[in-house]
Structures are given as structure tokens and as C-alpha cells.
């Protein structure tokens, strides 16, 4: 049982390949964590059931029951109804084209309140509050993974527009260019998203020899995961090097264009590929941005995400507001002003 006054919160990062659940304390120290594969068949109810198992496992490591949590935050792909806890059109999750009341379902199974946010925005919030973005008031988070997502903090607050802001992956880097998974052409993600890169590799492997799919099989994977790309890069596989070069160039043009508009002081690069490839590739992205920057004598800081793979789940846990700290003086003040 948690000691009195310790307000423990849960965080779940719901990804296309894995579900990461953590338990944190007031200081955002991780007390327990668990990782489950995301079901690849079935539907939203199966994914929700796996999320409950992951959260329960993390709680067990932390030595508590899920009902003892102040709440659980979830970073989810798809369109989020923050008020209702519904998630719709989460296309890289199985059978999730429609809407599913994920928040209420998890709340009833875990016996605590649940808050849902956009996965990329919460990862950006985590970097801003706890990671590489701490010294800045505004920043752009770029999550380079299956797709390329963006999160924005402007003057200390998330900027979500009308709910659809941050889609940096669909900045156009080549008019009439490659087909993007979104169906449009020439988006940054069409060149830099891991799913789009895999599609290009599958098409080109007929004409160009590559070890990518051999490495995938060796690692017991069915998709080109970030670790498969990283391994192929280490082996200097020619097609891999070409595809990654193209991705870096596209990221450079897309991110620099966003910076030309926003003039944020910092860009944080995270996501599955971003975290896996790390600083050497962040350095290359910085270099690829330079020719496209209008204000080229004063480029923003471009930094690797500091929280690594845990950033998504930590950001999700930040969605849960801690209950008031139990100090006598504070309690009197809060009681007088409580709403
Ligand atoms: Zn697109």
C-alpha cells in the first residue's frame, strides 16, 4: 500500500505495436512499468482489455491496486474526444475505424478516473515538462515513428488549434510527390514515416538487393521496426541508407518550414525511430534544415528527446492532475477556495 500523501498516477502509451503502462509518484518517478504487445486482431474492446492488463501489471510492480491510483492518463492515436473519453478513427489499431468509449471502459475496469489525450501531444508535453524542452517556453515536438507526428507548445501551453493542429507529417515537401499513407501526395510522412518507408522498400527490393527483410525475419518481426532499420543502417545496407537519407532530407525541409512559420526556439525529435537513431541523426536533421531556414543565422536548438521510450507514458500520466497536497496550511487555503 502506498504511504499516505503519495499520490500515485498511471500513464498508458497506446501505440500501434505496443502498450506501455507506468505508475508514477508526485515527482514523476516511475515506480512500476509494464509493456504488452498491442493486439493486431479483434477490435477496440480487445485493445482496451490488453490496456487494463498492462496497467494492472504496472500497479503490481508498484505494489498497489489500480483503484489506489488518483487516475490514469492515456496517450492515444486517432481523434480524441477529451470530454467524453471516446477515441475514433485510430487507423493503426485493429478494427478501430469507428468510435469507441475508451475512457469510460478503462475507468470502469480499473476503478479510477481516466483522462485521454493525443499520443503525440502528450509526448511533447512530457518533453516540455520533464525532458529536453525544460529550458524553453515554446517548442515543436516531432515524433518520428510509424508516421511523423507533431506537438506544439506555445508560451507554455499546448496549441491544438481546433483539435487538429500539429500534423507536421503532412506538410508538403514535394508538390505532386510520393503517395502518403493519408492518400495525398508529397507529404513529409510519405518519405519519412516508417510505414511509408517500408512500403517503398517492399516495392524497390525487386530491383535493388537489400538485407532489410532478412534482418526483419532474423529478429522475428513481421514489420520493419525501428530496431530493424537501425541494424540495417549499421550494416550499411545500401537501400536502407538511401531511404533514410531521403527521410532526413524530407524531415529537414518539413521541420524548417514549420520553424519559418512559428519561429520556436527549440525542436525536440522523438518517436520510435527518432529515439532509436538518436543524436547522430538529430545532427543530420539539423543540417538538412539549414538550407530551408529563412532566419538561417539564428536556427532553433534541435534536440533529441530526453525521456526516450518512456516519454509517451510519462506524458499520459501528466494528464492526471494530482490531488491537493496534504499540508495543513495548504488544506485551509484550498478548502476556502475550492470549487
Ligand atoms: Zn499525408
Amino acid at each position: 500500500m502506498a504511504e499516505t500523501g503519495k499520490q500515485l498516477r498511471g500513464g498508458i502509451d497506446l501505440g500501434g505495436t505496443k502498450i506501455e503502462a507506468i505508475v508514477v509518484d508526485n515527482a514523476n518517478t516511475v515506480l512500476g512499468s509494464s509493456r504488452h504487445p498491442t493486439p493486431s486482431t479483434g477490435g477496440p474492446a480487445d485493445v482496451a482489455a490488453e490496456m487494463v492488463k498492462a496497467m494492472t501489471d504496472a500497479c503490481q510492480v508498484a505494489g498497489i491496486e489500480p483503484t489506489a491510483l488518483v487516475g490514469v492518463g492515456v496517450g492515444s492515436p486517432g481523434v480524441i474526444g477529451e470530454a467524453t473519453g471516446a477515441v475514433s478513427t485510430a487507423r493503426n489499431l485493429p478494427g478501430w475505424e469507428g468510435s469507441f468509449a475508451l475512457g469510460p471502459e478503462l475507468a470502469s475496469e480499473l476503478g479510477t478516473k481516466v483522462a485521454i489525450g493525443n499520443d503525440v501531444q502528450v509526448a511533447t508535453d512530457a518533453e516540455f515538462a520533464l525532458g529536453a524542452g525544460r529550458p524553453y517556453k515554446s517548442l515543436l515536438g516531432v515524433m518520428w515513428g510509424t508516421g511523423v507526428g507533431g506537438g506544439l507548445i506555445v508560451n507554455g501551453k499546448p496549441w491544438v488549434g481546433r483539435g487538429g493542429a500539429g500534423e507536421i507529417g503532412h506538410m508538403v515537401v514535394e508538390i505532386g510527390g510520393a503517395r502518403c499513407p493519408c492518400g495525398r501526395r508529397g507529404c513529409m510522412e510519405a518519405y519519412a514515416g516508417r510505414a511509408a518507408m517500408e512500403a517503398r522498400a517492399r516495392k524497390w527490393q525487386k530491383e535493388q538487393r537489400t538485407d532489410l527483410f532478412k534482418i526483419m525475419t532474423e529478429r522475428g518481426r513481421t514489420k520493419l521496426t525501428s530496431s530493424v532499420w537501425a541494424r540495417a543502417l549499421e550494416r550499411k545496407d545500401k537501400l536502407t541508407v538511401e531511404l533514410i537519407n531521403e527521410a532526413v532530407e524530407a524531415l529537414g525541409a518539413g521541420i524548417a518550414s514549420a520553424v519559418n512559420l512559428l519561429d520556436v526556439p527549440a525542436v525536440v525529435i522523438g518517436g520510435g525511430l527518432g529515439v532509436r537513431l538518436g543524436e547522430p541523426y538529430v545532427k543530420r536533421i539539423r543540417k538538412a534544415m539549414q538550407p530551408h531556414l529563412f532566419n538561417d543565422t539564428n536556427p532553433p536548438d534541435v534536440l533529441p528527446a530526453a525521456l526516450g521510450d518512456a516519454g509517451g507514458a510519462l506524458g499520459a500520466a501528466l494528464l492526471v492532475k494530482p490531488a491537493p497536497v496534504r499540508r495543513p496550511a495548504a488544506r485551509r487555503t484550498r478548502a476556502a477556495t475550492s470549487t
Side-chain angles (χ1 to χ4, degrees), residues 80-155:
I80 317 295
E82 275 174 29
T84 61
V87 172
S88 48
T89 55
R91 289 202 187 85
N92 54 11
L93 298 173
W96 209 315
E97 286 79 26
S99 180
F100 181 77
L102 182 63
E105 171 72 14
L106 295 177
S108 108
E109 290 297 314
L110 294 167
T112 185
K113 61 180 183 182
V114 172
I116 312 233
N118 172 275
D119 54 353
V120 174
Q121 188 62 48
V122 303
T124 302
D125 293 345
E127 287 296 329
F128 177 70
L130 310 167
R134 272 185 304 177
Y136 309 93
K137 273 181 76 181
S138 301
L139 70 87
L140 170 65
V142 179
M143 302 302 153
W144 181 22
T146 310
V148 184
L152 260 175
I153 307 272
V154 177
N155 288 331

Side-chain angles (χ1 to χ4, degrees), residues 5-90:
K6 245 193 183 174
Q7 308 274 350
L8 304 186
R9 292 167 289 133
I12 304 177
D13 182 24
L14 172 57
T17 51
K18 61 179 166 54
I19 295 164
E20 175 120 26
I22 59 169
V23 174
V24 297
D25 64 11
N26 288 341
N28 293 302
T29 305
V30 178
L31 305 181
S33 68
S34 158
R35 184 179 277 192
H36 284 217
T38 308
S40 54
T41 55
D46 302 286
V47 175
E50 204 60 40
M51 292 169 78
V52 169
K53 282 187 207 157
M55 195 67 244
T56 306
D57 286 354
C59 285
Q60 198 171 24
V61 177
I64 57 158
E65 293 293 326
T67 50
L69 295 168
V70 179
V72 173
V74 176
S76 171
V79 179
I80 317 295
E82 275 174 29
T84 61
V87 172
S88 48
T89 55

Side-chain angles (χ1 to χ4, degrees), residues 169-171 180-185 187-190:
H170 307 283
M171 302 274 291
C180 180
C182 78
R184 294 166 189 83
R185 284 193 178 276
C187 303
M188 178 163 100
E189 184 170 313

Side-chain angles (χ1 to χ4, degrees), residues 290-330:
Q290 194 59 32
H292 304 290
L293 286 174
F294 182 74
N295 189 0
D296 58 359
T297 54
N298 188 20
D301 295 337
V302 183
L303 310 155
L307 303 170
D309 274 338
L314 271 170
L318 289 175
L319 290 171
V320 181
K321 300 289 165 259
V325 179
R326 292 175 196 169
R327 274 183 313 211

